[in-house]
C-alpha cells in the first residue's frame, strides 16, 4: 500500500504537470489530482483490506482525472492506456477485492460516461462509435482482470504453501 500510495501521489503530480504542458483542462487535473493523492495518503492509515481497495480506487481515480482533463485533446484516447497500467499495478496489493473494485470502477465509469458525457472519455460525439470503443476497451479490461486475478490467486496459494513448509 505504501509503495502504491507514493505512485498515486506521483501520478497525480504527473497528471497536473502533463496537463499544464499539453494544454488540457488544468482545473480538472488539479482538483482531481489533489483529491486522489489525498485518498492515496489516507489509504496508508487504514486497515489492510480497506487500504488496498482505497489505493486501487485512488489510482483509477487519478486515471479518470487524466482522461477527463484531456477533454477534446488528441491524446485523450491514448490516455486510456493508463487504465490498463493502473489495473496491472493492483497486483502489487495481492488482493482480489481491490482488483475487482478497480475493474468495476473502470467499467461503470466508462458505461455511464459513454451514454451521458462521452466527451469526458473520447473525442468523438458519435454514440455508436463510442459504444463500440467502450465495448472494445471492456473486453481488454475483462481479459486483463482475468489474468491478474489468476496471478494474485496463484501467488497467494504459493505463498501459503511456502509458509506451511517453513512452519
Amino acid at each position: 500500500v505504501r509503495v502504491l500510495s507514493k505512485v498515486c501521489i506521483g501520478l497525480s503530480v504527473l497528471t497536473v504537470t502533463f496537463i499544464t504542458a499539453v494544454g488540457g483542462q488544468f482545473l480538472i487535473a488539479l482538483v482531481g489530482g489533489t483529491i486522489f493523492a489525498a485518498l492515496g495518503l489516507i489509504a496508508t492509515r487504514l486497515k489492510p483490506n480497506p487500504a488496498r481497495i482505497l489505493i486501487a480506487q485512488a489510482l483509477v481515480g487519478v486515471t479518470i482525472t487524466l482522461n477527463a482533463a484531456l477533454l477534446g485533446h488528441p491524446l485523450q484516447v491514448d490516455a486510456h492506456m493508463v487504465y490498463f497500467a493502473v489495473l496491472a499495478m493492483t497486483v502489487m496489493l495481492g488482493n482480489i477485492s481491490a482488483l475487482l473494485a478497480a475493474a468495476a470502477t473502470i467499467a461503470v465509469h466508462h458505461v455511464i460516461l459513454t451514454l451521458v458525457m462521452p466527451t469526458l472519455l473520447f473525442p468523438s460525439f458519435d454514440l455508436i462509435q463510442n459504444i463500440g470503443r467502450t465495448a472494445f476497451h471492456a473486453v481488454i479490461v475483462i481479459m486483463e482482470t482475468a489474468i491478474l486475478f489468476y496471478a494474485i490467486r496463484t501467488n497467494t496459494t504459493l505463498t501459503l504453501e511456502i509458509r506451511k513448509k517453513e512452519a
Side-chain angles (χ1 to χ4, degrees):
V1 170
R2 293 195 186 282
V3 170
L4 287 183
S5 174
K6 291 174 185 173
V7 169
C8 186
I9 293 165
L11 188 56
S12 296
V13 170
L14 187 60
T15 293
V16 174
T17 304
F18 180 71
I19 293 303
T20 301
V22 302
Q25 303 293 317
F26 177 75
L27 191 57
I28 292 173
L30 182 63
V31 171
T34 301
I35 289 168
F36 293 112
L39 289 176
L41 281 173
I42 291 168
T44 63
R45 293 174 171 79
L46 300 176
K47 292 182 180 180
N49 199 47
R52 291 177 181 119
I53 292 169
L54 182 59
I55 196 67
Q57 293 300 297
L59 287 165
V60 171
V62 174
T63 308
I64 289 170
T65 298
L66 171 64
N67 197 206
L70 285 168
L71 176 75
H73 194 281
L75 291 173
Q76 188 177 25
V77 172
D78 299 310
H80 281 76
M81 299 303 294
V82 183
Y83 288 104
F84 304 116
V86 299
L87 197 55
M89 289 177 200
T90 65
V91 168
M92 288 184 63
L93 299 168
N95 185 287
I96 289 173
S97 297
L99 168 67
L100 295 178
T105 299
I106 292 168
V108 169
H109 160 262
H110 273 69
V111 168
I112 290 172
L113 288 186
T114 294
L115 299 173
V116 178
M117 294 188 83
T119 57
L120 289 177
L121 284 175
F122 308 118
S124 168
F125 290 97
D126 184 302
L127 181 61
I128 300 301
Q129 183 183 39
N130 288 340
I131 289 172
R133 185 178 278 138
T134 297
F136 177 72
H137 288 179
V139 169
I140 297 168
V141 167
I142 290 167
M143 290 187 317
E144 182 178 8
T145 301
I147 200 69
L148 296 176
F149 180 98
Y150 178 76
I152 291 169
R153 196 181 82 207
T154 300
N155 186 51
T156 302
T157 301
L158 292 174
T159 300
L160 290 173
E161 288 177 13
I162 290 169
R163 286 185 184 154
K164 283 180 186 177
K165 287 181 182 178
E166 290 176 349

